[in-house]
Amino acid sequence: MAAVSVGYDAFYKNISTGAVNSKRKGLTVLHTDSDKGFFSGGLLYFESSKNTKKYHVTNSDNFNNWFKRILPKHERNSVIVMDTVPYNSNKLEEPPSSTQKKQDIVDWFQSNGETFDRSIPKLMLLEHVRQIKSKFSTFFIDSIAQNAGHNI
């Protein structure tokens, strides 16, 4: 899979592709291919404002729907290469944060089969979360690809 990017060519020609004004709209263009060429129906492009929270939600929805649609076109056990833009880096599960109640943190430990001392204060539980959260850092796109027999 390859993302067609104006930025790649511009980088080597030392041309800026960044927006002068962050309120301007951006254009994202993606296409997927293999050693046999581009896939029919593999093109995705969308335009949206870059300075709103809705940008990432809308683009995540667009990207996830496109990804699910084109994934079956790839041969099994394909290795899919992507960049790490926010709209394709959504985590499957976010670990608890300090804004959550202690019971929510306790529930998170239990749902993930982690042992802990229930009597320790919330701040100590959060420290334990910080130490182990990388074990639970699974991305939504990774899980879709793995279920289809691919690797990201």
Side-chain angles (χ1 to χ4, degrees), residues 49-64:
S49 176
K50 289 185 177 181
N51 74 339
T52 65
K53 289 181 182 178
K54 189 176 179 182
Y55 169 80
H56 297 299
V57 172
T58 302
N59 291 346
S60 290
D61 291 344
N62 284 338
F63 181 82
N64 291 342

Side-chain angles (χ1 to χ4, degrees), residues 4-73:
V4 177
S5 171
V6 174
Y8 179 80
D9 188 44
F11 174 79
Y12 288 103
K13 293 180 180 176
N14 202 22
I15 301 170
S16 173
T17 60
V20 175
N21 177 349
S22 65
K23 293 180 181 180
R24 292 175 61 186
K25 293 188 179 232
L27 178 65
T28 299
V29 180
L30 303 169
H31 210 304
T32 184
D33 70 344
S34 72
D35 58 347
K36 296 175 181 76
F38 286 107
F39 293 123
S40 173
L43 176 65
L44 171 68
Y45 61 93
F46 48 89
E47 178 182 14
S48 61
S49 176
K50 289 185 177 181
N51 74 339
T52 65
K53 289 181 182 178
K54 189 176 179 182
Y55 169 80
H56 297 299
V57 172
T58 302
N59 291 346
S60 290
D61 291 344
N62 284 338
F63 181 82
N64 291 342
N65 290 333
W66 172 79
F67 189 72
K68 289 176 191 175
R69 190 179 74 244
I70 59 93
L71 197 57
K73 297 177 185 240

Side-chain angles (χ1 to χ4, degrees), residues 109-136:
F109 275 109
Q110 289 176 328
S111 69
N112 285 297
E114 289 294 314
T115 57
F116 61 98
D117 181 357
R118 204 179 258 267
S119 67
I120 64 174
K122 177 181 172 181
L123 288 176
M124 291 179 76
L125 280 175
L126 286 169
E127 176 58 27
H128 188 55
V129 168
R130 189 187 64 74
Q131 292 171 357
I132 67 167
K133 69 181 181 181
S134 64
K135 291 188 338 185
F136 304 98

